[in-house]
Structures are given as structure tokens and as C-alpha cells.
Amino acid sequence: MDNKLGNPQKTIEIIQKYEFAFQKKFGQNFLIDPHVLEKIIRAAGLTKEDMVLEIGPGIGTMTQYLAEAAGKVIAVEIDTNLIPILGETLKDYSNVTVINEDILKVDIKKLAEEYNGGRPIKVVANLPYYITTPIIMGLFESQVPIDNITVMVQKEVAERMQAGPGTKDYGALSLAVQYYAEPYIVANVPPNCFIPRPNVGSAVIRLTRYEESPVQVVSPKLMFQLIRASFNQRRKTLQNGLNNSPELSFSKEEIARAIEQLGVSPTVRGEALTLKQFADLANIMDNMQK
Ligand code: SAM
């Protein structure tokens, strides 16, 4: 198709034709490397049975690839200036619906219901980096039926999502992601694969949603409060971190008892605990409240 994007010349042509001005505040860095685009599509494992949600289609480069691989594509774009461009670049693809909205305000569960009969959807995106965490956590926490999420993010963020205990990248984001999904870094992507070049490295990560989390926790809310308390004060012991948290109201003695019951040293730091240990600790402390 001569309308096919995915290379620097075509992208520049479109940008000039519409006198499009990149908006930094929307995290606009458009992909111009066909190999990277193909890698993303392959990693998402798309079939014609799938409905894909694309966050931030830009000028529609990846949207074209998605439309060819999936059954249906819903693309949500915040920048009104891109809507006429998408009208041209996607005119040959009848299975694409573009929605001009802020993804953080869209009821995605309703979209999945409306366009996919409530069956699990796939999310694919070259994300606007400034809202990576709210987008990913929003998708997990709002009970949207999801099969997998395959996204371009800042390299350091991908590393944090995949990190395990005892590493410098391990933190609240690692645990939150790994509670819901299995992360896998598909590829590292250098700045020269985008226009304009971002000033950070990027990586494609696939998050395969668990049907059932690998850990059993009665109150996920309490577990995430414990996780936040531990990592807000990373250099402190777990005991002090939990004591100092404004979100928690356990006594010093209760916290000490819970850590003892967990079977770890009283001087352990939160960053040494596995997801399973945070879940067990949450269950122990939940019992204390009853
Ligand atoms: N998918 C395109 C590509 O790969 O070339 C563009 C990716 S660019 C990194 C991020 C896109 O997300 C931009 O088109 C930007 O306008 C859009 N965006 C930024 N914030 C958004 C939001 N809150 N809701 C929806 N789209 C947003």
C-alpha cells in the first residue's frame, strides 16, 4: 500500500503536508523503524480474532500494522491536531476506530464490552512516557479484561517492571506489575528509531496478564500500602518504614510481631522481600485487624 508509514521519508512528508508541530507535553516521539514495528506486532501475538486498544496512535504508523494483524483496532489519541492526519493515513483500514480523548479519562472496560463483547483485549502502544505508570496501573486496577499489554516505555521503566528483590531497580512498580502480569523485555530501542529523538533510551516490554495472581492475598489494598511504605523509605528497615507510614495504623509491637511471624530478620529492609513475602506479611497483618 503506497500509503504505508513506518519510514522516515513518509513520516516527514505527512508532517510537512499538515504542518504538524510536535507537542512535547504529549510525549510525541513517532516511530520510524519498520523492524521495531514488526517486532512489537510479533511480540503482541495478534490474530484476526483480537481487538487491540492502541494508546496514542500519533500519525497512525503502528495503527496500520495493527489493523493488518488484528480483527479490530480502537485507537485513542488526545491531540486534536492529529485527527485529520489519521483520517488520511487510516482511510484504507475499515477495522480502525479513532477516538479523540485522553486515555486516562476513557472507560476502557466499557470499550472492551462494546467492541469485544467483554472478551479479553490486547493493548499495544508506543506510550507517552510521562503517563506510563498511571496508564499501566489503571489498566490492571480497573478490571479491564486484558490478555496482554505490549508497550514501548522508557528503558529504565521497563527494567524496573522486570526487576527482582535485592536489585537497585526493584521497587513498588516491579511488585505492582508482577502481581498482575508476567513481564518480558522484548527489545531495547535506541533514540534514532524515533522522530524527534527522545533523550532517553526505550524498550518494548510485554506484560502477560495472569488469570490468577501467583500470590494469594486477602487484601491487595493492604499489601500495596505495605509495599509503598517499604519503598518510600528505601534505606530504612522494613520495621521503621511501616512504623512511619501515614497510611498504616499498626502499633510498633504489632509490626515487630508480624515481621517475626513472617520469619525474617527484624532488621530486614523492604527491598529484600519477594512478592510472596509481601503477600504473606499482608495476610498476617490483615489477621491482626480482625
Ligand atoms: N503511536 C505513535 C508512534 O509510534 O509513532 C505515536 C507514539 S507517541 C510516543 C505518543 C502518542 O500518545 C502521541 O501521539 C501523543 O499525542 C499521544 N498521547 C499523549 N498523551 C495522551 C493521552 N493522555 N491520551 C491519549 N493519547 C495521548
Side-chain angles (χ1 to χ4, degrees), residues 46-54 63 66-75 93-99 111 114-116 119 121-122 124:
L46 300 176
T47 72
K48 282 286 168 193
E49 305 298 306
D50 287 320
M51 177 198 136
V52 174
L53 168 68
E54 185 189 11
T63 325
L66 293 170
E68 281 170 18
K72 174 85 197 151
V73 182
I74 308 293
Y93 301 89
S94 57
N95 58 344
V96 179
T97 302
V98 174
I99 300 174
L111 281 186
E114 216 173 297
Y115 290 97
N116 208 37
R119 289 186 306 281
I121 62 167
K122 290 182 175 164
V124 184

Side-chain angles (χ1 to χ4, degrees), residues 122-175:
K122 290 182 175 164
V123 178
V124 184
N126 171 16
L127 285 180
Y129 294 171
Y130 74 106
I131 43 172
T132 300
T133 304
I135 290 177
I136 302 287
M137 293 322 296
L139 286 168
F140 285 144
E141 284 166 0
S142 60
Q143 332 262 300
V144 179
I146 285 179
D147 189 341
N148 65 45
I149 301 175
T150 308
V151 281
M152 180 86 71
V153 297
Q154 192 177 327
K155 185 167 178 278
E156 285 73 19
V157 174
E159 283 162 357
R160 292 213 309 264
M161 288 180 181
Q162 210 188 23
T167 63
K168 72 167 180 19
D169 293 329
Y170 189 57
L173 182 64
S174 326
L175 286 153

Side-chain angles (χ1 to χ4, degrees), residues 11 20 23 25-32 37 40 54-63 66 75-80 82 86 99-106 124-131 135 152 193-195:
T11 301
F20 176 74
Q23 298 218 53
K25 68 167 181 187
F26 288 145
Q28 291 175 340
N29 301 95
F30 297 164
L31 262 171
I32 48 166
L37 286 154
I40 296 173
E54 185 189 11
I55 298 159
I59 60 168
T61 309
M62 191 153 71
T63 325
L66 293 170
V76 178
E77 175 56 61
I78 196 170
D79 188 351
T80 309
L82 288 165
L86 290 165
I99 300 174
N100 186 196
E101 253 293 5
D102 176 348
I103 189 65
L104 297 177
K105 295 191 183 140
V106 171
V124 184
N126 171 16
L127 285 180
Y129 294 171
Y130 74 106
I131 43 172
I135 290 177
M152 180 86 71
C193 296
F194 304 84
I195 290 182

